[in-house]
Amino acid sequence: MSGSAGIRIDWSEDFIVIDSTMPLGAALRRIESATSSWIVVSRAEGLYRYAFHRQELLQWPPLRRALDGGTADNDAPFESALGLQEEHQSTQVDTRAAAPPIDRSWRPAAQAPSIGRYIEVGPDRRPQAVGTLIPAAAARPRARLRGARPRTPPASGAAPSEQAAARAPQAVTSLEDEGTTPVRHPSIDIEGTRVPGAEVTIIVDLLRQAVAHTQGGPIDVGTLAADWSSLDLAVHLQCPAFAFKESAQSTVTIRRNAASKPAQVAARIRADAPAGPMAVMAVFFSGTRFCGSAVRMFDIGETADVATPGGAGSGAVAVERDATPPDVTVYISKIDKDRPGRLRWLVVTDRFDGLPPSLEEDVDLGRDPAAEATALFKDFAMLERGQHTQRIEGFGSRLWLLAPAMFRAAYWALWDRYRRPLAIQFVSDEPHMPWELMSPARADESEIHPPLALKHAVARWIKRWDGYMRNRLPAGHIFTIAPKYASASRALKRAQTESEKLVTEFAARREDGKRAAVLKLLETAPPPEPVAILHFAGHGKFAPEAATHSNIKLEDGELAASEIDRPQVRLGRACRTLVFFNACEVGAAGAVFGEVGGWADAFLGRQFGGFIAPLWSVDDEDAGIVATELLERIFKQQ
């Protein structure tokens, strides 16, 4: 057991390991006969591990669907029926004697309860113990002898999934009494078909243990009377996709040492709700006292999710598995299709004193974001090298004042708390405004920061493709394309140097710069070798009037963004490849029939893992430096 900053990890050595390559039938027989508290599923020769309670694993939705639907093949590998993704994995810990690592159980879009778990890995890389993170307030004395093995949960269901456990009250001893400072964790579920026009029921509960699918820390109810038996908390729901039937408010009742009585709110998904991820926020109050909030991401409509090929062979990309999650995630949504400047901001971060009381606010830019951003990029494109700084700072100051006051207050609260570069994630269905260039300044201008992208680690996800994107690289190689232009005026010597450096220093594969070769690479699935990164260095052109006409210049013609957005382009689905275009202007996006266009949307729509490109014309030499430094940090410094 280890503790730090008011938290601890409760460890158990009572587990078994199931290799995901084991035949499904054999794996199920072993799990069903197990008496251990925990099941650890190992994928890709131990590269990814997932900690489940036995009943959790047997009720894991993809596995349950395969078994109930009669589609399961007993001789197929166990992992084929599990559908486990990289983001579901438990956090690996080298030694339990160290301080607990960062709790990652809030991670967006992840659904497996295993992400809230920890696995101690010994020097031989074998699992030694399974642990769960417990707030200090929840730590109670246990009637356990030193060195004794933890008791096996009884068959009556003391250790099914957290949600089921909380719904089925269990007898508790006095040692397990919640006392006067109960700790409860929010859970948000949605019953019903999640399509526009459908009737749904939102169920908000407060559980004895945290669940992975709902973001938010424990609810703070304060210190209660010594003889308390139940407590009512008001729940306020917020979601732009819902039209609530009667009220967006309800009540959840906490019962001492037993399951709570969840709140249930009836709603209809709006007919004009856009397909893709949507956030539901629940805010809790005891009387007028704010007790905390929680967020659950869900998908409107059907969204596919394809497993990333696991395993790292010879020369494969291996990225740090314990990469730091964002300190803050900002969801920016369009809320009125007739007024594109109206945006709803939702900030998700760990709660602490100093944050604004509400982390959701609407703003109206009063103008079309696409037109404003396009004009800005054109302006930047005409500036000579070295003259961008002041222009970017000036525009960043205007962006800062356009952002909600709530976000500005939350930013300075985060900065005052951590006093270090932050990890900031933007998720938006309005990709035109470059919020990453905001230049923060305190109200009295006593402290001014450079643009966010220079001060902090900042990334942007296009919201409609949020479920397709990954926060890590897949296994595979770099494939580099640097066209050898026939015209001397178009030749890019540094691009050739950049591509060759990737070959010599990162064992990249060089691809021919002609249309036929590029299309073959994009359309062949699976490719002869896995493609982790697709790199292009050359000329590009952004077409703001019709973004899908944006193109890159190849040796014998052009390749347009519209040619990527085709079912025949299968590379992204097969490999989850990260695309890196080091070419003028290709990173920009534009409005096409009211939707997000451009290269980023085209690649992400075909399930590529991410897209990196400049937003305006770049100097050839600077572009080469950026490319090699970025890959140096990814592959060698991690």
Side-chain angles (χ1 to χ4, degrees), residues 32-333:
E32 289 172 343
S33 63
T35 58
S36 300
S37 302
W38 297 94
I39 308 293
V40 175
V41 178
S42 174
R43 282 184 62 220
E45 299 180 347
L47 184 61
Y48 309 114
R49 296 189 177 96
Y50 310 81
F52 288 88
H53 288 300
R54 174 178 172 274
Q55 288 299 322
E56 277 178 347
L57 186 56
L58 292 175
Q59 295 301 320
W60 175 230
L63 177 61
R64 197 71 264 157
R65 285 195 294 269
L67 295 175
D68 294 344
T71 60
D73 180 357
N74 283 337
D75 295 326
F78 187 35
E79 63 182 350
S80 65
L82 288 178
L84 290 170
Q85 304 295 316
E86 294 174 13
E87 63 264 32
H88 298 151
Q89 67 177 305
S90 302
T91 298
Q92 298 193 21
V93 181
D94 290 334
T95 171
R96 76 185 79 171
I102 297 172
D103 176 18
R104 305 223 175 112
S105 61
W106 64 271
R107 286 176 289 189
Q111 299 294 324
S114 62
I115 69 169
R117 311 282 165 68
Y118 298 85
I119 296 178
E120 183 192 27
V121 179
D124 58 358
R125 306 311 299 162
R126 294 183 179 179
Q128 305 293 312
V130 174
T132 54
L133 193 66
I134 300 178
R140 305 292 177 203
R142 293 175 177 246
R144 181 182 299 171
L145 296 176
R146 184 176 180 85
R149 291 176 63 83
R151 62 182 177 85
T152 301
S156 60
S161 68
E162 285 91 338
Q163 183 179 351
R167 298 277 172 83
Q170 304 164 23
V172 294
T173 67
S174 59
L175 290 177
E176 295 173 318
D177 179 53
E178 291 186 274
T180 59
T181 56
V183 175
R184 293 298 179 102
H185 301 268
S187 170
I188 303 174
D189 287 307
I190 301 170
E191 292 186 348
T193 305
R194 302 168 190 177
V195 296
E199 305 285 339
V200 296
T201 300
I202 302 95
I203 300 174
V204 182
D205 210 343
L206 291 171
L207 310 181
R208 296 288 295 271
Q209 295 187 44
V211 291
H213 58 59
T214 300
Q215 306 170 35
I219 299 301
D220 176 17
V221 298
T223 302
L224 306 181
D227 60 348
W228 80 278
S229 60
S230 67
L231 175 68
D232 291 338
L233 295 181
V235 182
H236 298 251
L237 293 177
Q238 303 173 28
C239 180
F242 288 155
F244 295 99
K245 281 194 169 183
E246 296 180 359
S247 172
Q249 302 180 24
S250 187
T251 301
V252 58
T253 302
I254 299 175
R255 297 182 290 190
R256 188 167 185 163
N257 304 332
S260 61
K261 181 180 179 181
Q264 299 191 32
V265 178
R268 176 180 54 81
I269 299 180
R270 298 183 187 275
D272 59 351
M278 184 64 66
V280 180
M281 172 178 278
V283 183
F284 299 88
F285 290 88
S286 177
T288 59
R289 180 176 177 270
F290 174 72
C291 297
S293 65
V295 173
R296 168 96 186 250
M297 297 298 298
F298 72 98
D299 287 330
I300 296 178
E302 296 295 329
T303 58
D305 198 6
V306 180
T308 301
S314 177
V317 176
V319 182
E320 182 182 2
R321 294 190 295 269
D322 294 331
T324 304
D327 295 297
V328 58
T329 300
V330 184
Y331 298 93
I332 304 175
S333 304

Side-chain angles (χ1 to χ4, degrees), residues 106 108 215 279 295 297 326-333 343-349 359-361 403-404 406-408 410-411 414 422-430 435-436 438 452 458-463 466:
W106 64 271
Q215 306 170 35
V295 173
M297 297 298 298
D327 295 297
V328 58
T329 300
V330 184
Y331 298 93
I332 304 175
S333 304
L343 305 174
R344 175 163 294 158
W345 287 53
L346 172 66
V347 170
V348 178
T349 188
L359 293 179
E360 185 175 26
E361 184 177 341
M406 170 275 299
F407 174 79
R408 301 198 297 268
Y411 173 83
L414 286 160
L422 304 171
I424 305 174
Q425 176 74 71
F426 286 95
V427 180
S428 176
D429 58 5
E430 193 300 293
W435 299 110
E436 298 87 344
M438 280 190 287
L452 293 181
V458 184
R460 172 83 69 101
W461 284 17
I462 295 181
K463 190 175 181 181
D466 182 47

Side-chain angles (χ1 to χ4, degrees), residues 316-324 473 629-638:
V317 176
V319 182
E320 182 182 2
R321 294 190 295 269
D322 294 331
T324 304
L473 287 176
E629 287 189 355
L630 173 64
L631 295 174
E632 178 81 17
R633 295 190 66 178
I634 291 176
F635 286 95
K636 295 185 178 179
Q637 298 178 23
Q638 296 196 16

Side-chain angles (χ1 to χ4, degrees), residues 511-629:
E511 284 292 312
D512 189 62
K514 295 181 180 179
R515 274 183 56 86
V518 175
L519 289 172
K520 181 179 179 181
L521 176 62
L522 293 171
E523 296 176 0
T524 301
E529 295 182 281
V531 184
I533 294 179
L534 176 59
H535 166 263
F536 173 84
H539 290 292
K541 182 63 178 178
F542 170 54
E545 295 79 13
T548 53
H549 294 166
S550 298
N551 60 73
I552 55 174
K553 309 296 183 182
L554 299 174
E555 294 176 14
D556 56 349
E558 301 171 346
L559 180 68
S562 59
E563 297 180 83
I564 302 299
D565 194 12
R566 299 177 294 124
Q568 291 84 352
V569 175
R570 300 182 177 92
L571 179 61
R573 187 180 182 92
C575 295
R576 296 292 196 186
T577 303
L578 171 67
V579 180
F580 182 12
F581 272 17
N582 210 0
C584 295
E585 300 187 36
V586 294
V592 181
F593 303 114
E595 305 235 350
V596 177
W599 288 103
D601 191 59
F603 277 111
L604 299 184
R606 297 310 307 161
Q607 302 190 31
F608 284 77
F611 183 75
I612 302 173
L615 288 172
W616 53 77
S617 296
V618 293
D619 179 82
D620 189 18
E621 182 176 355
D622 292 341
I625 294 173
V626 168
T628 52
E629 287 189 355

